[in-house]
């Protein structure tokens, strides 16, 4: 990939990946920037700009080869490699993440779930048994883990993140309503559900565009 | 609010709201763009630009009055008004949304939950009983509802959205992994969890910042 890619383009990448997978399933092997744009509610010029950001694939007048572009975007996203996740917090969010079929289907496998509450430790969540958070360090030492899913209260999130970083975790999927302070070699994506609802409220009120 | 506000600014608004609420709780009544920027990991100039977008509040050399700014941003977001939500789909996501404390604490109250599966209809989710989706239209006619939470499979999402729109719903919080086609007077926020994980994978692989 060539140079700096804006956050807006990065956030559109999974959408490209999803639409290209759908096109492949539909048997469409070739698509123009116009056709892809109509499907994704973007302009053809936006599509060309985006795809140029990560190397360019189209041939003038021929459009894009769907399987190649899908494969390349998968590589850029890193989803051609499997990821192992542990979930911190066996509450409603932890349950929802552990039980979702779509994450393992996309190569994100939950391998363990932890909690500190005695009434949760030892209970089953889907195919997993909730482990005592005191065994977290040993677990990570003994098992490969890429991503920690933070489904804990906001008070616990930063301390736990610091510990997980010390244990070697570099990927954080954070559902706690706070901004984590991270070392530069760690990556985070926040899922601030409350804030999404507030943005929806804004859009309902203002109806711009 | 003055004119068009970019999507990036809109998505930052809830973060402002959250930090200003925290500041108020800490007893901080006045804050400079510098101070707010340090707290939010934005530059002072970014803060001033953002706040100018929605009307400007600071006085040169005095900074911002925290309670007034928090109140004004709350009004702009529309979270000074309560919202009533119904959940479509009593699976893991539907459960997680119904059981979360933070949504009602922010004025987003779940008033009903619906499913089409006979083994789910009549079961309890938190304080609610899962209703048959065939009673959806009558429920909406008889009760005020602002927001529909779509926690249904992707195959059902668009049809259900069209129905809900006909019944008068204009706000959609969509957890299904698809882009909904909506009329211009409807608003949507997507929570594409799979895509968030893919963005995390990208960031872990590329570590740009």
């Amino acid at each position: 990939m060539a140079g700096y890619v804006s956050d807006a383009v990065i956030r559109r990448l999974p959408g490209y990946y999803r639409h290209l997978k759908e096109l492949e399933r539909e048997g469409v092997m070739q698509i123009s920037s116009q056709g892809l744009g109509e499907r994704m509610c973007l302009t053809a010029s936006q599509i060309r700009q985006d795809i140029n950001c990560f190397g360019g694939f189209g041939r003038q007048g021929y459009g894009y080869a769907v399987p190649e572009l899908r494969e390349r975007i998968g590589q850029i996203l890193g989803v051609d490699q499997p990821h192992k996740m542990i979930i911190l917090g066996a509450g409603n969010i932890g349950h929802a993440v552990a039980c979702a079929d779509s994450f393992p289907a996309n190569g994100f496998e939950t391998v363990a779930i932890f909690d500190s509450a005695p009434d949760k430790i030892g209970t089953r969540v889907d195919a997993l048994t909730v482990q005592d958070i005191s065994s977290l360090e040993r677990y990570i030492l003994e098992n490969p883990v890429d991503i920690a899913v933070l489904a804990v209260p906001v008070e616990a999130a930063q301390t736990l993140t610091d510990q997980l970083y010390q244990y070697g975790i570099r990927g954080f999927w954070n559902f706690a309503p706070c901004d984590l302070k991270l070392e530069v070699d760690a990556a985070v994506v926040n899922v601030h559900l409350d804030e999404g609802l507030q943005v929806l409220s804004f859009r309902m009120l203002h109806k711009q565009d």
Side-chain angles (χ1 to χ4, degrees), chain A:
Chain A
M1 226 171 40
Y4 180 81
V5 179
S6 79
D7 201 52
V9 175
I10 295 166
R11 275 188 285 100
R12 278 198 292 272
L13 274 173
Y16 280 100
Y17 192 64
R18 170 162 53 86
H19 282 280
L20 290 162
K21 279 201 292 188
E22 286 171 11
L23 284 165
E24 254 187 304
R25 269 199 299 274
E26 296 165 14
V28 179
M29 291 294 116
Q30 200 85 10
I31 193 162
S32 64
S33 48
Q34 183 84 34
L36 193 53
E38 276 167 20
R39 199 176 168 111
M40 295 184 63
C41 300
L42 295 169
T43 65
S45 123
Q46 181 71 77
I47 298 276
R48 285 192 296 268
Q49 266 181 44
D50 281 0
I51 294 180
N52 274 338
C53 269
F54 36 90
F57 293 88
R59 282 166 58 202
Q60 193 76 41
Y62 289 84
Y64 302 104
V66 171
E68 283 81 352
L69 187 57
R70 194 264 313 141
E71 192 184 347
R72 183 72 191 112
I73 292 179
Q75 290 166 351
I76 291 170
L77 283 169
V79 294
D80 55 334
Q81 304 293 325
H83 291 82
K84 291 194 183 296
M85 308 200 291
I86 55 172
I87 298 174
L88 291 306
N92 293 305
I93 294 285
H95 268 255
V97 172
C99 298
D101 299 328
S102 62
F103 307 136
N106 285 304
F108 295 88
E109 186 198 356
T110 299
V111 291
I113 180 164
F114 297 86
D115 206 296
S116 59
D119 61 329
K120 286 191 179 144
I121 296 164
T123 60
R124 304 284 292 177
V125 176
D126 207 40
L128 302 168
T129 302
V130 178
Q131 301 184 51
D132 189 333
I133 200 139
S134 67
S135 63
L136 183 60
E137 181 172 15
R138 203 187 51 227
Y139 182 90
I140 296 173
L141 277 173
E142 293 172 359
N143 300 278
V145 178
D146 306 299
I147 293 171
V149 182
L150 298 169
V152 296
V154 62
E155 300 76 34
Q158 184 64 52
T159 309
L160 195 51
T161 300
D162 296 342
Q163 283 175 356
L164 288 159
Y165 181 84
Q166 279 180 9
Y167 304 158
I169 305 293
R170 293 295 178 266
F172 296 89
W173 201 24
N174 174 40
F175 286 80
C178 61
D179 302 319
L180 298 173
K181 288 178 185 61
L182 287 170
E183 302 294 328
V184 287
D185 64 340
V188 66
V189 163
N190 293 306
V191 186
H192 289 166
L193 292 173
D194 290 301
E195 302 196 356
L197 261 185
Q198 293 177 11
V199 169
L200 179 57
S201 165
F202 175 94
R203 289 189 184 156
M204 291 169 70
L205 193 59
H206 299 281
K207 298 274 166 61
Q208 61 176 15
D209 74 328

